[in-house]
Amino acid sequence: SQKIEQNSEALNIQEGKTATLTCNYTNYSPAYLQWYRQDPGRGPVFLLLIRENEKEKRKERLKVTFDTTLKQSLFHITASQPADSATYLCALVPYSGSARQLTFGSGTQLTVLP
Amino acid sequence: DTAVSQTPKYLVTQMGNDKSIKCEQNLGHDTMYWYKQDSKKFLKIMFSYNNKELIINETVPNRFSPKSPDKAHLNLHINSLELGDSAVYFCASSPGTTNTGELFFGEGSRLTVL
């Protein structure tokens, strides 16, 4: 069956370090992989999208990689700050699908300690 | 201006009651969705409408009935509420002309069934 797994429910790191979050998938052929941020009591907010034929995408302190051989995406936040503390969700759009078939992982709760 | 707005933000009700959650988007998007987020933060799609037409109806009890009076609105009506319906319900929208799938979420409606 299709499955999306994100590493550990919670991740604590020290301010200034790089946070690395993992998204693994099985039995999918994703065309796109997205990352969202969700703060407590708020809706998810889109951060980055990476396509199947892209290896890496960057946006300010954020970097996403996509390895279709390993069936894995890594999400990095460099020079992390307490304000980066939130839950981060990965989501897949299958190759033949669209936003209408977006499927989410359960998220990783990141806490950046001052 | 709020892009995707849902009301009410909190809803506490007794088992067996009927309730509605309203959603409006002012982004001009063609596609709207309802997602359910359970206590483990797992976001699961329930329904999707494209230009007022139902295009996704996941395995959801028929006590849940979406209604889209126009492409800017997608309401969710729930009959005979059960304890297991307690969750946060998110409305979202996406442009209909792209399949990269970036979603714009509302702030969520937390439903508590007693």
Side-chain angles (χ1 to χ4, degrees), chain B residues 37-93:
Chain B
Q37 188 170 46
D38 60 25
S39 56
K40 294 190 175 182
K41 302 294 186 187
F42 186 58
L43 263 173
K44 186 171 170 59
I45 190 165
M46 300 173 68
F47 301 103
S48 174
Y49 270 74
N50 182 261
N51 273 319
K52 303 195 299 176
E53 181 184 341
L54 179 66
I55 52 172
I56 287 182
N57 183 354
E58 291 296 314
T59 307
V60 176
N62 57 15
R63 297 181 294 103
F64 290 79
S65 53
K67 285 200 172 40
S68 182
D70 55 62
K71 77 172 194 175
H73 295 84
L74 180 61
N75 303 323
L76 184 65
H77 188 76
I78 316 170
N79 290 328
S80 303
L81 279 157
E82 300 178 357
L83 293 177
D85 297 333
S86 295
V88 182
Y89 292 85
F90 285 98
C91 178
S93 70

Side-chain angles (χ1 to χ4, degrees), chain A residues 4 9 32 34 36 38 40-46 49 51 87 89 93 95 97-107 109, chain B residues 9 31 33 35 37 40-45 48 50 55-56 90 94-96 98-108 110:
Chain A
I4 304 171
E9 290 186 9
Y32 308 95
Q34 303 177 357
Y36 288 77
Q38 185 174 21
R42 310 294 296 273
V45 175
F46 173 81
L49 175 149
R51 300 167 193 265
T87 296
L89 305 164
V93 177
Y95 207 84
S98 69
R100 296 167 283 189
Q101 294 173 273
L102 196 64
T103 304
F104 284 84
S106 58
Q109 185 176 333
Chain B
K9 189 169 173 67
T31 309
Y33 313 78
Y35 277 82
Q37 188 170 46
K40 294 190 175 182
K41 302 294 186 187
F42 186 58
L43 263 173
K44 186 171 170 59
I45 190 165
S48 174
N50 182 261
I55 52 172
I56 287 182
F90 285 98
S94 69
T98 175
N99 66 348
T100 56
E102 176 185 347
L103 293 179
F104 294 77
F105 283 88
E107 295 293 274
R110 180 176 292 277

Side-chain angles (χ1 to χ4, degrees), chain A residues 3-6 22-26 70-73 90:
Chain A
K3 198 185 285 187
I4 304 171
E5 290 183 326
Q6 296 190 237
T22 305
C23 177
N24 294 299
Y25 59 91
T26 53
L70 291 178
K71 296 186 184 299
Q72 181 181 80
S73 174
C90 70

